[in-house]
Amino acid sequence: MIWKTAHILDDAKTARDYIASYIKDPAALQEAAFVPEATNIVLVGGGPKGMYALERLLNELPSSLEREGMHIIWINENADFGSGNNYQVDQPDYLLINYCIGNIDAWDRECVNTSIPQQLDLLDWIKASCDNGMQARPTDYASRALVGCYLQSSLQRILTSIPANVSVSLLQAKVADIHYETDFSLQLQGEEVPLKADYLLLATGHCYENNNLLGAGAVPAEQSGHYFKSAYPVKKLDSIPAQTPVAVVGLGLTCIDVVLHLTEGRGGRFTADGIYLSSGDEPLLYAFSRKNVPILTRGPIYGEDRYQLRPATIARLQEFKAISGERRIDFTRELYPVLQDEAQYAYYSTLLKERSEQRIADYIAKLPSNEIFTLDELLFPNSLSDHESMLQYLRDTIAYAECGELQAPVLAASAVWREATKWIGDLYQHAGFTGASQEVFDKQFFGAFCRSSFGPPIANMKKLLALAEFGILRFPATENATIDYNNEQAIFEVKGDNSSFTSTYLVDARIGRSNLEQKNASLYRALYESDLVKAFDNEGYHPGCVAMDIHGRATTASCAPLFFYGTPTEGVLLDNDSLSRKRNDTASCWSKFVVNTLLRLQKNNTYEFSSGG
């Protein structure tokens, strides 16, 4: 079952309007903020991470803290506070999350904010807020728009529970630059007077540009509006005319969004038996990637009904954790063999329905060496040579997902990374890997692990297959492609190892990653150029992120109390899922820092007053 915004009951649709009442005009906010002795606490980034940080801060603020004029100012570039760009509530319902609803919870269950009523997880919220005659199950899926409605409903509950000694304002604005002396000064785009802040957290999400796919001829292509350097928001692709050839770079989750928006979003329909019915308004789509291997389909994963690591493997990972305080770990030499051993066991234990390690080892020993399954085979398969081989790959992986990872050997092996991510993330964080092996991990392994372990739901991959069988979606054999722009003909020329094609439009369906030194995000470029942040360095390797300490605080000569949460910490931390409350919770570190500093100031002021100072 896929839950959509159409299933939401009318009385559960009030959150967006309620949140809008908190959005202030920048000029009016400036006037309110400039109060003598006021404390301005600013969060930048309006997605789930920003909401989690707001909730943690409100939870930490004690009623005994009575500083006059305590303002929390939450800044986002658009009005989608709580949901952020990924979960905008007005996006099409055919854009789905890639994990089950039973895994999503907007609340911290280990440190509960008792002032907020009805802290529902997504499953219980759907039961209370939706109706289509079906009972919601934890293994169901949902549209991203519906998840956005859930997140905004959660934000509404937070805003209705603000303590009396605090005010919260939401500000729709773009932060262009930040400076720091004794406090922060935020320059908002289009505003002359900067916004002052005593405390600041950046939870800015995916704000990075991809590297340019083209050569020197790229500038005319970008000016023409035919080159989309980012796929989001997908509605900007509406300008692409029908029947026009479009090259889509990337075969991951973003590619699926692009393809569905340009087909189902143009009025096409899918029948119950997997046939696509064209509207005639679709463009012609050519999807490819550097390796030309698509993301792996996965079935619903929830609770105990999944592959789980052997206790012996967990023990080995714990051993590495015990020694990680003494030295860096070499991922390639030390950790990868552990994952390889577990993946091989997962594959053959599922294939043979056998849990005896000795019997499995005996079986493997009898196989020809070129027939033995390895983790490399899963992560780095041969490129698919043509459209038909891609179709067969999609059919096979859909069949695996329908069987489930406890029945399909390939999916059991792919589950190893999902189950090991928590342990590997603990070893990775704060230069836990050697610099050389972190570089190999970041550039070679991480994307391959994500491709094999965090794929789309079966429903979406079946749609992709139907579109490819219909012929409106093609998979050209263009691995290791080069892309040039022909100015005279106004077309893109895509040339791969084995084939080539031309298109009128180009969509980059990859997700950009932070690269401070390449300055691929305007705000972070400004911070870097003003020396408010520096690049993280691990034995000479620069992953591209900001240097920060274990609490998410920037480490620079300025000593500015600038904190980061979520995507901006990637490279220092691993596994920053946008909806997770548990992993890499630097927001709690920041909120504790703010409150402890305020309490210390209050204590000092009280002492000075009582002493006649």
Side-chain angles (χ1 to χ4, degrees):
M1 174 62 201
I2 298 174
W3 294 89
K4 303 178 180 181
T5 55
H7 301 142
I8 300 176
L9 300 170
D10 288 341
D11 59 359
K13 297 179 179 178
T14 61
R16 194 176 195 187
D17 291 339
Y18 185 86
I19 293 167
S21 69
Y22 277 81
I23 298 178
K24 306 299 183 185
D25 176 79
L29 182 61
Q30 287 281 8
E31 183 179 348
F34 290 143
V35 177
E37 306 302 323
T39 297
N40 284 346
I41 305 170
V42 175
L43 301 96
V44 180
K49 294 295 190 188
M51 180 176 72
Y52 299 162
L54 173 65
E55 185 275 323
R56 284 296 85 190
L57 180 62
L58 293 174
N59 182 63
E60 291 288 338
L61 288 171
S63 58
S64 59
L65 192 59
E66 297 177 349
R67 291 178 64 84
E68 181 179 352
M70 188 182 300
H71 303 281
I72 299 174
I73 303 169
W74 189 11
I75 303 174
N76 196 47
E77 290 188 23
N78 53 44
D80 299 304
F81 287 89
S83 63
N85 291 336
N86 282 359
Y87 304 99
Q88 288 176 324
V89 300
D90 58 354
Q91 65 185 301
D93 267 329
Y94 48 76
L95 303 180
L96 307 182
I97 58 173
N98 65 320
Y99 25 56
C100 301
I101 61 174
N103 297 312
I104 298 175
D105 190 352
W107 304 99
D108 187 337
R109 303 297 174 180
E110 296 178 1
C111 184
V112 178
N113 187 336
T114 56
S115 66
I116 301 175
Q118 290 187 293
Q119 297 179 26
L120 304 179
D121 60 24
L122 178 57
L123 176 63
D124 287 338
W125 182 84
I126 288 175
K127 291 178 179 178
S129 306
C130 297
D131 181 32
N132 70 340
M134 300 284 290
Q135 178 65 36
R137 300 171 299 176
T139 52
D140 290 344
Y141 284 90
S143 69
R144 290 212 295 272
L146 181 132
V147 175
C149 292
Y150 162 68
L151 292 168
Q152 291 194 346
S153 175
S154 301
L155 175 57
Q156 181 179 9
R157 299 199 179 283
I158 293 171
L159 294 176
T160 57
S161 305
I162 298 171
N165 60 331
V166 178
S167 65
V168 174
S169 297
L170 311 186
L171 180 60
Q172 186 177 337
K174 180 176 182 178
V175 180
D177 201 356
I178 300 172
H179 296 281
Y180 179 80
E181 292 182 5
T182 57
D183 57 8
F184 291 101
S185 179
L186 286 77
Q187 187 61 55
L188 306 181
Q189 188 169 290
E191 298 294 325
E192 295 184 3
V193 181
L195 177 69
K196 298 295 183 179
D198 300 286
Y199 305 95
L200 180 61
L201 174 72
L202 300 185
T204 48
H206 291 290
C207 60
Y208 313 110
E209 284 190 359
N210 283 312
N211 59 292
N212 201 324
L213 289 167
L214 306 171
V219 174
E222 289 184 69
Q223 290 178 343
S224 72
H226 287 199
Y227 176 24
F228 297 89
K229 295 188 72 173
S230 169
Y232 297 112
V234 292
K235 60 186 176 183
K236 71 183 180 182
L237 305 179
D238 292 344
S239 62
I240 297 175
Q243 307 302 318
T244 308
V246 178
V248 182
V249 182
L251 291 173
L253 297 172
T254 304
C255 171
I256 296 173
D257 288 352
V258 170
V259 169
L260 291 182
H261 187 68
L262 293 175
T263 54
E264 188 173 7
R266 296 283 182 98
R269 295 186 296 111
F270 296 92
T271 67
D273 54 353
I275 304 297
Y276 182 67
L277 303 177
S278 172
S279 68
D281 291 332
E282 307 93 335
L284 305 175
L285 304 170
Y286 297 85
F288 64 99
S289 68
R290 183 171 58 89
K291 293 296 185 182
N292 232 39
V293 178
I295 197 166
L296 192 65
T297 318
R298 65 171 173 171
I301 306 299
Y302 177 76
E304 301 299 314
D305 190 22
R306 68 186 198 278
Y307 181 83
Q308 299 182 56
L309 302 180
R310 291 172 292 174
T313 295
I314 294 176
R316 293 177 71 184
L317 295 172
Q318 289 174 327
E319 289 172 7
F320 284 116
K321 181 64 177 176
I323 64 175
S324 63
E326 303 171 7
R327 65 171 178 85
R328 288 176 169 88
I329 304 299
D330 188 313
F331 172 80
T332 310
R333 184 175 60 85
E334 297 180 288
L335 289 178
Y336 191 65
V338 175
L339 299 176
Q340 155 66 19
D341 181 64
E342 181 67 29
Q344 197 168 75
Y345 172 82
Y347 184 92
Y348 285 108
S349 64
T350 305
L351 176 70
L352 303 173
K353 307 304 180 200
E354 174 63 69
R355 295 295 178 262
S356 168
E357 295 186 28
Q358 185 58 55
R359 291 185 185 127
I360 291 171
D362 291 343
Y363 177 86
I364 295 173
K366 296 176 183 178
L367 295 173
S369 59
N370 63 342
E371 294 181 10
I372 297 174
F373 172 84
T374 65
L375 186 53
D376 273 2
E377 180 183 334
L378 173 67
L379 298 180
F380 309 109
N382 294 328
S383 298
L384 298 172
S385 59
D386 54 34
H387 181 75
E388 291 304 319
S389 62
M390 185 74 79
L391 288 180
Q392 191 56 50
Y393 180 89
L394 294 180
R395 294 183 188 111
D396 290 344
T397 58
I398 289 169
Y400 298 154
E402 289 180 328
C403 288
E405 65 186 46
L406 297 182
Q407 303 297 324
V410 169
L411 290 192
S414 75
V416 168
W417 174 250
R418 183 195 68 229
E419 296 297 309
T421 297
K422 178 178 73 72
W423 306 97
I424 301 298
D426 288 345
L427 296 170
Y428 175 98
Q429 62 184 352
H430 305 291
F433 289 175
T434 63
S437 72
Q438 182 181 350
E439 183 172 12
V440 171
F441 175 84
D442 287 349
K443 294 181 178 180
Q444 297 182 27
F445 284 98
F446 182 68
F449 276 125
C450 290
R451 181 196 66 80
S452 63
S453 300
F454 299 120
I458 296 169
N460 269 1
M461 201 57 98
K462 281 187 172 181
K463 289 181 177 181
L464 229 61
L465 176 60
L467 291 166
E469 290 177 332
F470 181 83
I472 207 165
L473 170 64
R474 302 291 298 178
F475 296 108
T478 48
E479 62 273 16
N480 301 313
T482 59
I483 308 173
D484 294 305
Y485 185 68
N486 187 315
N487 285 291
E488 292 182 2
Q489 299 182 41
I491 59 171
F492 298 92
E493 299 173 340
V494 183
K495 299 177 183 178
D497 290 347
N498 299 306
S499 67
S500 62
F501 69 95
T502 62
S503 68
T504 311
Y505 287 82
L506 176 66
V507 179
D508 193 340
R510 303 171 300 159
I511 298 297
R513 293 174 64 86
S514 173
N515 195 320
L516 273 180
E517 291 161 340
Q518 290 187 7
K519 303 175 182 179
N520 66 338
S522 59
L523 175 58
Y524 288 89
R525 178 175 65 246
L527 297 179
Y528 185 61
E529 290 177 344
S530 64
D531 294 324
L532 193 56
V533 301
K534 64 180 181 180
F536 175 67
D537 179 289
N538 182 7
E539 299 182 325
Y541 168 56
H542 295 177
C545 55
V546 171
M548 61 189 73
D549 65 16
I550 60 173
H551 304 297
R553 179 175 177 174
T555 52
T556 55
S558 70
C559 297
L562 176 60
F563 284 74
F564 302 89
Y565 182 33
T567 301
T569 69
E570 290 175 352
V572 176
L573 302 174
L574 182 70
D575 186 23
N576 285 306
D577 186 307
S578 63
L579 292 178
S580 174
R581 289 297 306 247
K582 299 178 181 179
R583 292 294 298 164
N584 302 328
D585 180 17
T586 56
S588 289
C589 299
W590 171 73
S591 61
K592 287 181 171 61
F593 168 81
V594 171
V595 170
N596 289 338
T597 304
L598 288 173
L599 288 172
R600 186 168 61 251
L601 289 172
Q602 180 171 283
K603 181 179 179 181
N604 291 341
N605 289 340
T606 301
Y607 174 78
E608 291 174 3
F609 178 79
S610 63
S611 302

